[in-house]
Amino acid sequence: LNEISKEIERLRERLLELGVIFDLTRREKELAELEAAGANPDLWNDAAKAQQVMRDTAAVRDFVAPYHEMSRK
């Protein structure tokens, strides 16, 4: 049991390192900004821009989601 606890802790530390390597803090901030832009009703006055914001939001969300999924386990 002690070895398993040590391995879990080692994996958590590695996960934190990966967060730094992939600049997750910046990407999470970017995601929040994109989500806020997507929630603005005026965005939809420009369909092309709205589509781009939605594509960018999905791309960033897809990038950070696996990290968050692993960190919850």
Side-chain angles (χ1 to χ4, degrees):
L1 186 60
N2 192 26
E3 288 181 33
I4 293 172
S5 294
K6 287 180 183 179
E7 182 65 12
I8 290 171
E9 186 58 33
R10 187 188 69 73
L11 291 171
R12 281 194 178 126
E13 289 173 8
R14 183 67 179 136
L15 190 59
L16 289 174
E17 290 171 9
L18 290 173
V20 172
I21 291 169
F22 292 116
D23 200 4
L24 285 172
T25 301
R26 180 185 61 81
R27 296 209 185 231
E28 288 169 339
K29 181 181 177 198
E30 180 182 7
L31 179 59
E33 290 169 356
L34 287 165
E35 289 175 335
N40 182 349
D42 293 334
L43 173 69
W44 299 98
N45 294 334
D46 182 343
K49 183 176 180 181
Q51 289 176 350
Q52 187 61 51
V53 168
M54 293 298 104
R55 280 193 295 270
D56 293 347
T57 301
V60 175
R61 188 178 292 127
D62 288 347
F63 185 88
V64 300
Y67 175 82
H68 288 293
E69 196 173 303
M70 285 188 289
S71 67
R72 282 191 289 258
K73 293 182 178 183

